[in-house]
Amino acid sequence: MIRRWHAAVLAVLAAVAIACDGAGEAAPEPSPSRKPGSTSYPSRMAALGDSITAGFGSCLAFVACSRNSWSTGTSSAVESHYQRILDKNPKMKNNADNFADPGAEADALAGQADRAVDAKAQYVTILIGANDACAGRVRDMTPVRTFRQEVDRGLSRLKKGLPKARVLMVSIPDLYRLWEVGRKNEQAARVWSDGRICPSMLAAPTSTASADDERRRAVRDRIDAYNEQLRKACKAYGKRCRWDGGAAHDVRFTLDLVNEIDYFHPNVEGQNELADVVYPGRFTW
């Protein structure tokens, strides 16, 4: 027994000696970002889209408030994608651009994409389409085919100008649910009517007439169609685009997550919820 133990000790000491002799010649470990399956966080990002991403109404005023944006927000009140990435990669500091524009429809995406290219973004978030559905009348909503063409045009600019950038495509939130949770709230119904907030969906919010029900269902179906085209456009883009899987649309929100100015846009809590449900977690695509 003692001899076996002594032999084992000698073997361990020999192995240590060999390792030490070759230590000066050993190749350096590859950086974590180069290891297969590792996470490499971007150091520049850009947000494209409309008033939701611009943080409109989240500062208790009827204006854009990008510091509360779910995507590029810098406020400590929102765990934005920018803040989450900054925690992992200090090089992201002050390198987040928000090109989202209140009122923007899909036809604005290409111009915003050009600005993201100029900014040399490595991560681009896209949330667009609510305004295409929020027309004055149902027949004025952007046709699905046109919507897809405009989205493809924007994505083409990104792919050509930023071939290595990661793109996150976010689904359009459920505006039909917004009507469902707010229609019995007197203040919300009054604001929607007086302010003509998304009239295709929210006009006559308390009406139970069949024509109004049909109108709302038409808008709901159009948003579903837009989301399907966003999914397909992202898939066609290739492996550098990630679809949120409908996560933003599937949020079962209440009026607690929208501001009390227009009862439409997310408040700080709503922005935080949106940031959370669509955050990719690992930047491996």
Side-chain angles (χ1 to χ4, degrees):
M1 177 69 72
I2 293 176
R3 289 180 179 177
R4 287 199 297 270
W5 176 83
H6 185 65
V9 171
L10 291 175
V12 170
L13 291 174
V16 171
I18 292 171
C20 291
D21 286 343
E25 301 174 4
E29 283 285 331
S31 64
S33 62
R34 295 178 181 274
K35 291 181 179 180
S38 68
T39 299
S40 176
Y41 290 90
S43 56
R44 299 191 69 90
M45 70 175 291
L48 314 184
D50 53 33
S51 53
I52 296 177
T53 300
F56 191 89
S58 64
C59 289
L60 303 179
F62 209 58
V63 295
C65 189
S66 60
R67 72 173 181 268
N68 288 333
S69 169
W70 65 270
S71 177
T72 60
T74 56
S75 170
S76 59
V78 177
E79 290 185 271
S80 68
H81 288 204
Y82 165 73
Q83 300 273 29
R84 295 171 190 232
I85 297 170
L86 181 61
D87 286 343
K88 302 293 184 179
N89 182 9
K91 292 182 180 179
M92 176 61 82
K93 188 173 180 61
N94 299 324
N95 285 328
D97 295 298
N98 195 322
F99 301 126
D101 186 26
E105 299 183 10
D107 60 3
L109 194 57
Q112 293 181 10
D114 286 338
R115 298 178 69 185
V117 171
D118 291 341
K120 297 179 173 58
Q122 298 172 355
Y123 173 51
V124 180
T125 67
I126 300 175
L127 172 50
I128 198 79
N131 290 316
D132 292 89
C134 284
R137 298 167 298 181
V138 168
R139 65 173 177 266
D140 295 330
M141 293 188 296
T142 303
V144 176
R145 182 177 180 180
T146 303
F147 179 80
R148 174 61 186 275
Q149 290 172 340
E150 297 294 355
V151 170
D152 282 342
R153 193 161 66 94
L155 289 177
S156 178
R157 301 280 182 87
L158 286 178
K159 193 167 188 178
K160 181 178 180 180
L162 300 171
K164 295 183 179 181
R166 300 174 177 98
V167 178
L168 177 68
M169 184 70 76
V170 178
S171 54
I172 304 165
D174 189 349
L175 300 185
Y176 188 81
R177 176 170 176 78
L178 178 62
W179 168 75
E180 285 183 315
V181 301
R183 62 193 173 91
K184 294 183 179 180
N185 182 295
E186 292 184 6
Q187 179 66 12
R190 184 181 305 111
V191 169
W192 290 344
S193 296
D194 294 347
R196 288 186 54 78
I197 308 297
C198 192
S200 58
M201 174 63 80
L202 301 176
T206 60
S207 172
T208 57
S210 58
D212 289 317
D213 285 339
E214 183 178 348
R215 165 177 55 82
R216 297 181 196 113
R217 288 194 298 270
V219 179
R220 178 196 62 191
D221 292 346
R222 182 61 60 89
I223 290 175
D224 287 344
Y226 288 165
N227 278 333
E228 178 62 9
Q229 292 307 313
L230 290 172
R231 182 190 70 80
K232 289 181 175 180
C234 186
K235 183 178 180 180
Y237 188 92
K239 63 182 181 180
R240 295 248 174 209
C241 184
R242 172 174 291 187
W243 168 239
D244 80 340
H249 184 78
D250 292 341
V251 173
R252 306 301 291 169
F253 60 84
T254 65
L255 287 185
D256 290 339
L257 295 183
V258 298
N259 71 62
E260 295 183 356
I261 301 173
D262 60 12
Y263 287 90
F264 183 85
H265 291 91
N267 56 20
V268 170
E269 292 77 13
Q271 290 283 346
N272 204 50
E273 177 71 10
L274 181 57
D276 192 52
V277 299
V278 303
Y279 186 65
R282 291 183 62 83
F283 286 81
T284 55
W285 78 96

